[in-house]
Amino acid sequence: MGGDPIIASWLVYGCCGAVLVGLGLFGFMRPTTTLRRVLAFNIVGSGIFLLFGATGYRVPSTGADPVPQALIITGIVVALAATALAVALMLALARVSAGRDEDA
Amino acid sequence: MIASGFDITVCVLLCLCALAAVTGRDTFRAIVFFIVYGLLISVAWLRIDAIDVALAEAAIGAGLTGVLLLGAFGQMGSADTMAREPRGAVLIALVAGAGIGAAVLFAVQGLPPEGAGLTAEVLAQLEASGVGNPVTAVLLNFRGYDTLLESIVLLVALIGVWSVASETGWGERPGIVHHARAGGTLQSFGRFLPAIGLVIGAYIVWAGSSGPGGAFQGGTVLAAVAILTILAGLVDAPRVTTRWLRWALVMGPGVFLGVALLGLFGGAFLVFPQAVAYPAIVAIEIVLTASIALTLVLLVLGPPREAPQ
């Protein structure tokens, strides 16, 4: 991309990460279904990752800091594991509640 | 000028997709927006030069998480009810979200613009790590214990998922049984894409020692290939009690732990002497890839359940 950036790109993406954290937190707390909360939790997570990664790119001439990158990759995989566990618990809860309704 | 314009456009699109995913009425549409969001965020990672993260995010954030959420939506249907919330819950959520968001924003813009982080330290020691990709060096050498613990966390999460199986489901195949139309789009993709996916996945793992890529990024691509063939009904997922499956799942963390213990002879736990660092890391990466890919597949498929009669 040509031209000098008016705003440093790390700042643009860092601020974007902050906004995503706020949006995700709103989605997590507002009255909604469990599945939507799990989705919102993932948005909070990726917002934090973006913010963290962006702070590692404050000096573009040396490239992105590999330490945050490695931690973020670890975090992305753990977030998926947590999401899978949440989904499994959610489905188990739905199964149990359905069984209870039949008994009643 | 143009560079900033592109970055700002990506960020605005990201925020709009997140907003649609969070506030949209229809859950299915919200999940689709979330998948688009995952792809856009990989573009953002490319823009801040984090190619390794972009690879992981595209495969996991957009791909596997999307499949997981869509699958959950399909199984929940309308069973997912809203909990009764007190009055003003929306307002509290709005204030909390906006407040935390604004506080983080304030903190970010106040950061010193010249913070170089640990890049210089990593690059100075890169020679000793045995690999050429600084991210792989951090993942498997400098901060190896993070990765070791992470591979164990994955295993624990899988045990958690399996432990909520119904009593009749235990010992069966994980996930619901999929029926795809023979010769339909899904089956055709299921036959055609794995060939490409396997090559890309294997390449990403191998390339990880010198360029962007590695066990996690490659493992997720391989996991996606396996999930696609299972969704297309071409392959059955293995039963959770299968012996080779159990071994394959613990092999990655096991070999990693074994090599880490061998490091005790070289000085300390998880220390790789420079002479053997490269073969040790490549060996760990290959077994870890297999275990990660398999664990991710099983995590996405869910607990084992009884086959319908």
Side-chain angles (χ1 to χ4, degrees):
Chain A
M1 280 327 130
D4 283 333
I6 330 169
I7 316 169
S9 50
W10 77 266
L11 195 58
V12 176
Y13 288 106
C15 292
C16 180
V19 174
L20 292 174
V21 170
L23 271 172
L25 198 67
F26 167 68
F28 188 75
M29 288 180 68
R30 83 187 186 103
T32 186
T33 56
T34 327
L35 184 58
R36 299 291 290 271
R37 283 191 212 277
V38 175
L39 191 157
F41 150 86
N42 272 285
I43 290 182
V44 178
S46 64
I48 294 173
F49 296 148
L50 188 60
L51 194 161
F52 185 29
T55 58
Y57 191 58
R58 278 178 282 172
V59 186
S61 55
T62 56
D65 190 345
V67 178
Q69 283 195 66
L71 294 181
I72 292 163
I73 292 173
T74 310
I76 289 175
V77 179
V78 171
L80 176 76
T83 308
L85 189 58
V87 163
L89 286 171
M90 195 176 78
L91 292 174
L93 175 69
R95 195 179 61 219
V96 171
S97 333
R100 203 172 46 203
D101 290 349
E102 279 166 24
D103 293 342
Chain B
M1 182 89 184
I2 302 169
S4 274
F6 184 80
D7 290 337
I8 292 167
T9 312
V10 170
C11 286
V12 168
L13 284 174
L14 267 173
C15 293
L16 289 177
C17 281
L19 188 70
V22 160
T23 60
R25 290 190 77 81
D26 183 40
T27 302
F28 179 77
R29 206 175 297 170
I31 298 172
V32 173
F33 268 112
F34 177 75
I35 296 172
V36 176
Y37 165 86
L39 286 173
L40 276 171
I41 215 162
S42 352
V43 176
W45 286 118
L46 286 178
R47 292 290 301 162
I48 50 177
D49 218 10
I51 301 165
D52 291 277
V53 183
L55 283 170
E57 184 69 54
I60 296 188
L64 297 188
T65 311
V67 171
L68 195 60
L69 293 175
L70 280 177
F73 174 69
Q75 290 171 62
M76 291 289 274
S78 56
D80 197 4
T81 48
M82 262 168 58
R84 195 178 288 270
E85 298 284 346
R87 264 168 196 276
V90 183
L91 195 69
I92 295 170
L94 201 62
V95 170
I100 300 276
V104 177
L105 200 65
F106 180 73
V108 171
Q109 60 83 31
L111 283 172
E114 64 285 338
L118 295 166
T119 316
E121 282 84 346
V122 171
L123 292 178
Q125 295 294 323
L126 193 59
E127 185 100 2
S129 75
V131 288
N133 177 5
V135 178
T136 306
V138 174
L139 269 175
L140 287 162
N141 199 332
F142 303 148
R143 289 191 66 93
Y145 52 92
D146 281 348
T147 311
L148 176 62
L149 288 175
E150 179 201 6
S151 62
I152 297 170
V153 165
L154 276 182
L155 210 54
V156 174
L158 182 62
I159 294 170
V161 168
W162 280 2
S163 64
V164 297
S166 66
E167 282 170 41
T168 48
W170 183 250
E172 297 291 333
R173 299 177 193 283
I176 47 172
V177 181
H178 295 280
H179 299 284
R181 196 159 53 82
T185 316
L186 187 55
Q187 278 216 342
S188 309
F189 271 120
R191 290 182 201 282
F192 174 65
L193 288 180
I196 303 172
L198 283 175
V199 173
I200 293 178
Y203 171 76
I204 289 178
V205 178
W206 183 251
S209 57
S210 53
F216 290 102
Q217 300 90 313
T220 48
V221 175
L222 296 176
V225 166
I227 291 169
L228 180 65
T229 49
I230 292 169
L231 287 183
L234 297 167
V235 181
D236 281 334
R239 290 177 192 279
V240 292
T241 43
T242 320
R243 195 168 290 266
W244 69 260
L245 184 73
R246 301 289 184 85
W247 278 108
L249 286 173
V250 296
M251 198 177 58
V255 169
F256 201 162
L257 202 57
V259 176
L261 284 172
L262 281 180
L264 285 174
F265 296 105
F269 186 63
L270 268 173
V271 164
F272 308 142
Q274 195 173 344
V276 295
Y278 177 72
I281 288 178
V282 170
I284 292 172
E285 279 215 289
I286 290 172
V287 260
L288 205 55
T289 305
S291 289
I292 289 170
L294 209 53
T295 315
L296 291 176
V297 171
L298 294 169
L299 277 173
V300 171
L301 289 179
R305 64 195 82 191
E306 227 177 339
Q309 298 301 314

